[in-house]
Amino acid sequence: MRRTLLNLRIALRSLGSFKLRTSLAVLGVFFGTFSLIVVSNLADSLALKTEQEINNLGNNLVVVLSGQVRRYGPNVPLISRAMTLTPGDAEAILESLPAAAQVSPSGIKAFPVRRGSTVLKSVTVNGVTANFSDVRNLPVADGRPITDEDDRLLRKVVLIGSGTAEKLFGGENPIGKSILIRRVPCEVIGVMVEKGADIAGSDQDNHIFIPLNTFLRNFTNQENVNIIYVQAISTEAIGPLRGEIEALLRIRHGIRKDQKDDFGVVDLKEFTALKSRAMDLITVLGRIAAAASFLIGALGILSIMILIVNERRVEIGIRRAVGSRKRDIVLQFLMESSFISVSGGAIGMAAGFLMSLAIARILGYPASVSASGLLTAFAASVASGVLAGIYPSLKATTIHPVDIIRS
């Protein structure tokens, strides 16, 4: 034990004599540990964020979108967005396809909204059915939801997002009060729970929801909807249901075999898969960068240890002459390289932990810090230091006291 402590004191004194070299070697290990921890934690945070966004949109959801159609005529673009879906399409999906548990058609359009002197120039207004909250997983936080009777009687009642409520009413309770949507007075019957942005980046807290028939008759004066949300009976049923929806709507819309769909059917798993592939690429690149940093750090340790051995040949020879064993010399230099790697790894681990929390907070992602990831990065830093110190320590044992005395 005493010999070990003595070797440790000698190692620390030696590193202190080469402060700049030691600092550069520590910095290389630091960057490797830091980058590996940050990339791993960021990947985990993004995975949790994606899962939250999918859950915010709804469970087992398939989304049917109005598609692009070709139009011909003067002053008309060849390809434009068309309202090709109808509430009848939604009813047909629910009645014809057993895998569809619930269906909710929705119309979407931006309108100016006013309350007193407060004017919001463009707010997304959604015409929705009574089951919209269940299908889209958007419960009402305060007040009551839209009912089938509201939809049937064309009542001018609205649910507002928490962000819209804050902008129009501040801290005042909006329930029972009126707002103007495109000069049409509507009564606020409820406020939605705070949801934040969805997977497409749209802020769900700044939307307004009104009964679908009221939306179609009083605001758009048409029979078509923008989107149909279809909730599958299970996760396993999503894939087959998507194909069944496509086949059914092609028949209903009279689309021939040689024609493209005038609608789109989207499985939300596609968004998840796309984000996962992007994050996998980022993770791989980050790990490559971390490996490069560890390699640079190991080379730094190797170079500084070789320099130390060459510059301390006299000291090593004298120590050997007075009785130091080869294993003492090996232990001393391994301690020096280990100290560099442990210092860089510890600092990198602490900085990576704090940076992961900071990035998650700035981006609004759920914080995720993996204990196994921290230990793996630290173990990699220690291993790089130990491996880099083996060759210089063995080289030091080849120095013979006789050669030093002769020189």
Side-chain angles (χ1 to χ4, degrees):
M1 186 65 180
R2 291 176 58 187
R3 298 178 74 94
T4 301
L5 293 176
L6 177 60
N7 285 323
L8 179 59
R9 285 198 298 269
I10 295 173
L12 294 178
R13 184 180 61 194
S14 172
L15 292 175
S17 301
F18 301 94
K19 294 183 176 62
L20 180 59
R21 298 176 190 175
T22 303
S23 300
L24 293 176
V26 169
L27 195 61
V29 179
F30 162 80
F31 279 122
T33 309
F34 175 80
S35 58
L36 183 58
I37 290 174
V38 170
V39 169
S40 299
N41 290 337
L42 184 59
D44 293 341
S45 294
L46 184 58
L48 290 175
K49 179 65 174 179
T50 303
E51 185 178 349
Q52 287 182 357
E53 290 172 343
I54 294 295
N55 292 333
N56 284 343
L57 279 178
N59 298 321
N60 302 329
L61 206 60
V62 176
V63 181
V64 186
L65 302 166
S66 291
Q68 291 180 334
V69 297
R70 296 183 180 274
R71 299 176 184 274
Y72 300 94
N75 302 321
V76 177
L78 291 179
I79 300 177
S80 61
R81 179 67 63 181
M83 301 275 284
T84 57
L85 301 175
T86 66
D89 290 332
E91 293 176 7
I93 291 172
L94 183 62
E95 293 173 359
S96 305
L97 306 180
Q102 292 191 84
V103 175
S104 178
S106 177
I108 304 171
K109 193 170 183 179
F111 292 106
V113 178
R114 181 165 67 89
R115 192 243 173 187
S117 60
T118 303
V119 179
L120 305 179
K121 293 183 179 181
S122 182
V123 178
T124 302
V125 178
N126 301 260
V128 299
T129 53
N131 66 340
F132 178 81
S133 294
D134 294 333
V135 175
R136 279 292 314 277
N137 192 22
L138 272 173
V140 178
D142 191 18
R144 69 171 181 85
I146 292 172
T147 64
D148 289 322
E149 189 175 4
D150 293 331
D151 197 28
R152 181 172 57 82
L153 298 178
L154 305 180
R155 287 174 178 165
K156 298 180 180 66
V157 294
V158 299
L159 296 170
I160 60 177
S162 58
T164 303
E166 178 65 26
K167 293 175 183 177
L168 292 176
F169 296 93
E172 187 179 351
N173 185 5
I175 307 299
K177 297 182 173 60
S178 293
I179 60 174
L180 293 176
I181 303 177
R182 204 191 63 174
R183 299 187 299 277
V184 177
C186 299
E187 180 188 354
V188 178
I189 60 171
V191 179
M192 311 301 288
V193 296
E194 186 176 347
K195 279 285 188 176
D198 61 17
I199 198 168
S202 175
D203 189 354
Q204 299 178 92
D205 298 328
N206 286 318
H207 285 216
I208 291 178
F209 305 90
I210 65 177
L212 179 60
N213 283 323
T214 304
F215 177 83
L216 297 177
R217 302 291 185 276
N218 297 94
F219 290 92
T220 62
N221 193 28
Q222 59 186 14
E223 296 296 328
N224 298 85
V225 296
N226 302 79
I227 191 168
I228 298 174
Y229 297 102
V230 184
Q231 188 177 56
I233 57 175
S234 67
T235 304
E236 294 74 19
I238 291 177
L241 177 60
R242 177 179 174 176
E244 293 171 357
I245 292 173
E246 290 174 346
L248 175 63
L249 292 183
R250 285 184 66 86
I251 294 173
R252 285 185 57 85
H253 293 188
I255 301 173
R256 299 191 305 270
K257 289 184 178 180
D258 59 336
Q259 292 179 318
K260 294 183 178 180
D261 296 340
D262 62 356
F263 59 88
V265 183
V266 179
D267 174 2
L268 295 184
K269 286 184 178 179
E270 294 177 350
F271 289 100
T272 307
L274 182 62
K275 279 199 169 186
S276 296
R277 286 195 295 270
M279 200 59 233
D280 288 343
L281 178 60
I282 294 173
T283 302
V284 169
L285 293 177
R287 287 175 178 170
I288 291 174
S293 297
F294 278 127
L295 179 60
I296 293 171
L299 291 175
I301 295 173
L302 179 63
S303 61
I304 190 176
M305 297 305 298
I306 291 176
L307 286 173
I308 289 174
V309 170
N310 291 333
E311 293 179 4
R312 293 166 59 193
R313 291 175 60 85
V314 174
E315 176 192 332
I316 296 170
I318 294 174
R319 289 187 61 192
R320 291 293 309 280
V322 297
S324 290
R325 295 168 295 184
K326 285 187 177 182
R327 65 183 181 185
D328 293 323
I329 303 300
V330 170
L331 180 61
Q332 175 192 334
F333 284 98
L334 284 180
M335 281 184 172
E336 293 181 16
S337 62
S338 298
F339 179 82
I340 293 174
S341 61
V342 169
S343 300
I347 299 171
M349 188 167 63
F353 173 78
L354 295 175
M355 182 58 71
S356 299
L357 296 180
I359 292 176
R361 184 178 183 85
I362 292 171
L363 298 179
Y365 288 179
S368 175
V369 178
S370 171
S372 60
L374 293 175
L375 294 176
T376 300
F378 184 72
S381 67
V382 174
S384 66
V386 172
L387 292 176
I390 291 176
Y391 172 74
S393 63
L394 294 177
K395 183 180 178 181
T397 62
T398 62
I399 298 174
H400 297 288
V402 175
D403 296 332
I404 299 300
I405 294 173
R406 285 176 179 172
S407 63

